[in-house]
Amino acid sequence: MINRIFILCFLLAIGTSCSEKAKPEPPKKPNIIYIMSDDHTTQAFGIYGSRLAGLNPTPTLDKIANEGIIFDNCFVNNSICTPSRAAIMSGQHSQANGVLDLEGELPMNHQYLPIEMKKLGYQTAMIGKWHLKAEPNFDYYNVFTKHGQQGSYFDPYLTQTGMHFAEETDPSYEGKQYMGYSSDIVTDISLDWLKNKRDKTKPFILFHQYKAPHDDFEYAPRYKDYLADTFIPEPANLYDNANNGSIATKGENGELLSVIGSSVSKRNTIRNMGMRIWSKQYTKRNNPDFDIHQADNLNDKEYTSATYQEYVKRYLRCVKGVDDNVARLIEYLKAEGLYDNTIIVYTGDQGFMLGEHDYIDKRWMYEEAFRMPFFVRYPEKIKAGTRTDAIINNTDFAPTLIEMAGGTPPEEMQGHSFKHILETGQEPEGWQQSTYYRYWMHMAHAHANPAHFGIRTKQYKLIFFYGRYWVDTDKPGAVWNKASWGNRFELHTPAAWEFYDLSKDPTESNNAYKDPAYKDIITNLKEQLTAKRKELNEEDGDKYPHIQKVIDEHWND
């Protein structure tokens, strides 16, 4: 009897053991590091083959990109910091998430991306530049909270989890000053969180976000001599803008050229890069010995060239600080055995003009400001050396990350997951063939870009400049921020259309809107634009009737 009981127990134990062994373990979720710089444009990489690629400005980032998938047609929905970041966190365009311009705020309950990642069991962290006013809805955050949440390049103040999160003007503001250079500091904080603060039993998603290379391009002093003796290739349209633009950007007889679009040259008499480059105020922190008089007594073309050279060198020195710090992150991931089980995303919050069309800054729907760098490395699912011309935009980032983490994007999101493209390199059936853009912040900050919207396909771009601020400044009793610096919201600019055939004119040097050969194509693009605006709740209608009036009057110009 005892032998029988022993055998029965033995067989039961074996069966239980086999059953336990046969039970599959749940798949291990990948970690995610989302790295975003501010204003890092595609021209300032090796992988995008621009005129600056030969300078090898981003060796670390290029290596990551070449080990994954590179997107050639990633675009921002609104090329300015706060709206772009709101689109990424919400998966929505500006009217849907309520963030039209730099004064917008994304409340905690509309920060859908971190909310959904928490539901999926991820530990969430946001470090560096946030710029969305409301408290970040993350398990851990440590973000710039002074200078309008822009942060400063040197010795910045940050507010972290556990402190009272408030505007710097609020008496209850809490922040800690970190001594040193911002890109180094952001990386130090991220490494500290990865090593010492996260729960290592959980997958994590870390948003690691630099201030650099935002203007005024204050670089770490160690980069003072980087590119010092190098001639930076110049864009031809720095000196000759050909047939780019319209009466919306030039005026009927060129009368707006001196006020619209901040410039490299002296063209814009209100804001041009020389005003900053050749000023002691903007060099004292990182290069106090810089000779601000070296541009004296130069003719206009020489002055433009000298300004451009210094402008782009300062910009690329900030980029080098980013690239070198990303290398520190990668070194840690490799040392800890995390490199191949971590989805690494890199992007900028928009593009940036580096002298093309004699423009600086962003805001435009022109390619250099509109296009975002975007690449992803994750060897388990993404084949190295993949490249795609599929159209994506920044509202698509959140749904994609959620799907990569095993979730389903919430209905509130307007963007679309491109997980299939990441994993196959191919567009799924019915994938979007165009993207929508809208810049709302009419004539702001002396950069003076007219408000506009438009649509871009793989071949064509159609832009409508309506030239009005989103608040009707002509309406008695209208309220807007009249103290904000450099704004001319009340100045209405001419309405006009621009059309570019990018297959023949990649530098957008010929506005072909009036060319009869494109009449049918433009008609079709207007139909697509109308449908896209309706689909995305981007119509003006009753909400902005002063803008709708301009649209109605000029739609068929």
Side-chain angles (χ1 to χ4, degrees):
M1 183 72 176
I2 292 173
N3 288 340
R4 285 180 182 177
I5 293 171
F6 174 79
I7 292 168
L8 187 62
C9 290
F10 179 72
L11 291 172
L12 186 62
I14 291 174
T16 303
S17 175
C18 290
S19 174
E20 286 176 353
K21 286 181 180 177
K23 186 178 180 181
E25 290 187 11
K28 189 175 181 182
K29 290 180 180 287
N31 301 308
I32 303 170
I33 294 184
Y34 175 96
I35 307 170
M36 186 163 74
S37 299
D38 194 308
D39 298 339
H40 193 179
T41 186
T42 56
Q43 303 96 281
F45 287 82
I47 55 169
Y48 285 105
S50 78
R51 69 183 183 279
L52 304 180
L55 301 174
N56 191 27
T58 50
T60 300
L61 294 171
D62 290 355
K63 188 174 189 300
I64 296 168
N66 285 320
E67 292 176 354
I69 184 170
I70 300 168
F71 284 78
D72 288 318
N73 281 330
C74 179
F75 300 100
V76 69
N77 71 317
N78 183 350
S79 187
I80 191 73
C81 299
T82 304
S84 173
R85 292 162 190 270
I88 292 165
M89 287 293 118
S90 68
Q92 297 174 326
H93 287 261
S94 295
Q95 285 206 61
N97 64 37
V99 181
L100 307 184
D101 57 23
L102 288 176
E103 297 178 13
E105 177 176 337
L106 190 68
M108 293 183 76
N109 63 339
H110 287 181
Q111 296 168 27
Y112 299 122
L113 177 51
I115 290 170
E116 294 300 314
M117 296 304 293
K118 289 178 191 177
K119 291 178 184 177
L120 294 169
Y122 275 75
Q123 192 173 20
T124 60
M126 167 64 68
I127 295 169
K129 184 169 178 180
W130 170 240
H131 209 197
L132 287 169
K133 288 196 175 182
E135 184 177 1
N137 195 345
F138 288 77
D139 296 314
Y140 174 82
Y141 61 80
N142 201 348
V143 297
F144 298 128
T145 47
K146 282 203 172 182
H147 305 290
Q149 294 189 358
Q150 284 278 6
S152 54
Y153 269 112
F154 292 93
D155 307 336
Y157 285 82
L158 291 91
T159 299
Q160 69 174 324
T161 312
M163 294 180 175
H164 180 66
F165 192 90
E167 295 277 344
E168 63 187 292
T169 53
D170 192 311
S172 64
Y173 169 80
E174 286 187 75
K176 176 183 175 182
Q177 187 175 24
Y178 291 75
M179 306 309 291
Y181 184 63
S182 70
S183 296
D184 302 338
I185 290 165
V186 168
T187 306
D188 290 344
I189 295 170
S190 285
L191 287 171
D192 179 58
W193 182 80
L194 286 166
K195 292 174 183 176
N196 305 314
K197 291 187 170 68
R198 67 184 172 95
D199 181 347
K200 295 183 180 178
T201 67
K202 292 183 178 181
F204 65 82
I205 181 167
L206 165 63
F207 289 80
H208 174 86
Q209 305 193 162
Y210 293 108
K211 173 183 174 64
H214 189 279
D215 70 1
D216 284 299
F217 321 117
E218 292 183 39
Y219 50 86
R222 63 183 178 269
Y223 298 123
K224 181 169 70 76
D225 297 325
Y226 175 60
L227 299 173
D229 299 320
T230 301
F231 179 80
I232 308 297
E234 299 176 346
N237 54 17
L238 171 61
Y239 301 101
D240 181 4
N241 203 17
N243 190 36
N244 169 268
S246 60
I247 62 168
T249 62
K250 301 174 184 177
E252 289 280 1
N253 299 297
E255 69 275 8
L256 294 178
L257 286 171
S258 63
V259 297
I260 282 185
S262 50
S263 61
V264 176
S265 75
K266 295 178 181 179
R267 173 185 57 77
N268 191 312
T269 57
I270 298 173
R271 184 166 184 171
N272 65 68
M273 201 65 224
M275 294 174 177
R276 284 165 145 69
I277 290 293
W278 313 116
S279 163
K280 202 69 177 175
Q281 177 184 355
Y282 297 101
T283 59
K284 62 185 178 182
R285 291 305 302 265
N286 50 0
N287 194 356
D289 299 323
F290 179 72
D291 179 8
I292 63 173
H293 299 293
Q294 59 187 287
D296 294 352
N297 304 315
L298 298 178
N299 64 40
D300 284 352
K301 186 170 184 179
E302 291 169 339
Y303 178 92
T304 299
S305 181
T307 302
Y308 169 86
Q309 292 294 318
E310 184 63 24
Y311 166 46
V312 179
K313 286 176 183 180
R314 291 185 188 184
Y315 179 90
L316 291 177
R317 287 166 188 158
C318 290
V319 167
K320 181 161 179 58
V322 168
D323 195 76
D324 287 349
N325 273 291
V326 171
R328 295 173 60 205
L329 271 184
I330 300 305
E331 182 181 18
Y332 169 80
L333 294 176
K334 288 181 176 179
E336 295 298 311
L338 296 170
Y339 190 47
D340 287 340
N341 188 45
T342 300
I343 298 171
I344 299 174
V345 178
Y346 186 88
T347 187
D349 58 347
Q350 58 251 333
F352 205 73
M353 310 298 293
L354 293 178
E356 299 85 8
H357 308 290
D358 189 25
Y359 289 134
I360 59 175
D361 203 65
K362 51 260 186 174
R363 306 167 192 255
W364 296 106
M365 196 182 167
Y366 300 136
E367 285 296 280
E368 294 83 4
F370 179 36
R371 185 188 301 276
M372 304 172 76
F374 192 87
F375 49 86
V376 186
R377 182 194 187 275
Y378 182 43
E380 185 174 320
K381 298 287 187 181
I382 298 172
K383 184 179 178 182
T386 307
R387 197 157 195 140
T388 178
D389 69 348
I391 290 177
I392 62 171
N393 68 63
N394 56 336
T395 67
D396 300 325
F397 297 176
T400 303
L401 291 172
I402 290 167
E403 279 206 350
M404 292 293 285
T408 301
E411 291 183 1
E412 291 90 346
M413 289 188 175
Q414 296 174 314
H416 305 96
S417 169
F418 49 86
K419 178 175 179 283
H420 179 86
I421 300 172
L422 290 176
E423 296 178 349
T424 68
Q426 304 297 318
E427 297 178 34
E429 186 176 349
W431 185 251
Q432 60 200 10
Q433 296 301 302
S434 65
T435 191
Y436 176 76
Y437 178 86
R438 184 163 189 178
Y439 175 71
W440 293 81
M441 209 168 177
H442 177 68
M443 298 300 287
H445 298 166
H447 286 298
N449 304 70
H452 56 288
F453 60 73
I455 190 169
R456 190 200 191 280
T457 67
K458 289 182 181 178
Q459 184 171 352
Y460 304 117
K461 180 184 294 183
L462 182 68
I463 311 171
F464 179 63
F465 288 90
Y466 56 89
R468 299 291 186 277
Y469 186 48
W470 59 270
V471 176
D472 185 356
T473 58
D474 293 337
K475 188 176 181 179
V479 177
W480 67 92
N481 184 359
K482 298 178 182 178
S484 186
W485 65 273
N487 294 327
R488 302 176 72 189
F489 297 149
E490 305 98 316
L491 176 62
H492 304 330
T493 55
W497 290 92
E498 295 182 18
F499 167 82
Y500 299 96
D501 181 346
L502 300 168
S503 65
K504 297 178 179 177
D505 179 27
T507 61
E508 296 171 302
S509 296
N510 180 37
N511 175 12
Y513 183 74
K514 297 293 187 181
D515 187 337
Y518 291 108
K519 181 180 178 182
D520 292 342
I521 291 169
I522 290 170
T523 297
N524 178 261
L525 286 171
K526 285 185 179 180
E527 291 170 359
Q528 290 187 51
L529 181 55
T530 298
K532 186 76 75 173
R533 280 166 53 77
K534 184 174 183 179
E535 172 196 344
L536 298 174
N537 186 32
E538 278 289 323
E539 296 176 299
D540 292 271
D542 297 333
K543 197 168 185 181
Y544 307 106
H546 64 296
I547 296 175
Q548 187 61 49
K549 182 180 178 183
V550 177
I551 295 170
D552 292 342
E553 288 176 354
H554 294 277
W555 191 259
N556 295 316
D557 283 1

